[in-house]
Amino acid sequence: ATRHAEMVVIDRVLDWCKQRNKDYTEVFADSVLYVTVEPCIMCAAALRLMIVYGCQNERFGGCGSILSISSDDMVNTGEPFKCISGYRAKEAVELLKAFYRQENPNAPKSKVRKKDHRN
């Protein structure tokens, strides 16, 4: 549940910096992260860098929908960051719908019985 795409990106950037002997603070400062959905509160707090996202996350959004982690003045959490919302929002929603229509072969079998639709 905590391995959201933003966390995977952070890990990959840190690994990339380590392999190339680069200062991660400079790399993150010069980076822009594009994500489909507004980052959750956890990811927004972890990133604290510039993010561009498509659609809002009205249940867990950390960049304005629920909290404003990106722009709030918070002690010992890094600098506020610019967060741009609504970039290709309709397309982002369609990508999410397509994703959730698929079945995850690794997901545990549902314990909820589907209704029998016999005539």
Side-chain angles (χ1 to χ4, degrees):
T2 61
R3 294 307 303 159
H4 295 179
E6 295 90 344
M7 297 302 192
V8 173
V9 166
I10 290 170
D11 288 344
R12 288 188 180 171
V13 170
L14 292 172
D15 288 345
W16 185 89
C17 290
K18 187 175 181 179
Q19 291 170 0
R20 289 163 181 77
N21 200 28
K22 300 278 186 182
D23 180 357
Y24 69 89
T25 60
E26 291 178 11
V27 172
F28 278 121
D30 291 334
S31 298
V32 175
L33 177 61
Y34 286 82
V35 295
T36 307
V37 180
E38 175 184 4
C40 71
I41 295 165
M42 173 188 68
C43 292
L47 290 170
R48 298 287 286 200
L49 54 85
M50 184 173 179
I51 297 175
V52 176
Y53 66 86
C55 60
Q56 290 183 314
N57 182 347
E58 295 175 0
R59 291 182 62 204
F60 305 108
C63 295
S65 292
I66 304 301
L67 294 176
S68 297
I69 300 291
S70 56
S71 59
D72 286 350
D73 193 20
M74 302 170 69
V75 177
N76 298 323
T77 60
E79 294 299 315
F81 58 90
K82 183 177 181 182
C83 196
I84 301 167
S85 67
Y87 179 74
R88 299 174 76 172
K90 288 181 182 178
E91 186 179 350
V93 169
E94 291 306 315
L95 284 169
L96 286 169
K97 286 179 181 178
F99 173 79
Y100 284 109
R101 279 192 296 265
Q102 299 174 28
E103 297 248 347
N104 180 348
N106 299 318
K109 298 291 182 208
S110 176
K111 293 180 182 178
V112 177
R113 291 185 182 170
K114 293 185 180 182
K115 290 185 179 179
D116 192 359
H117 295 288
R118 295 181 193 166
N119 291 336

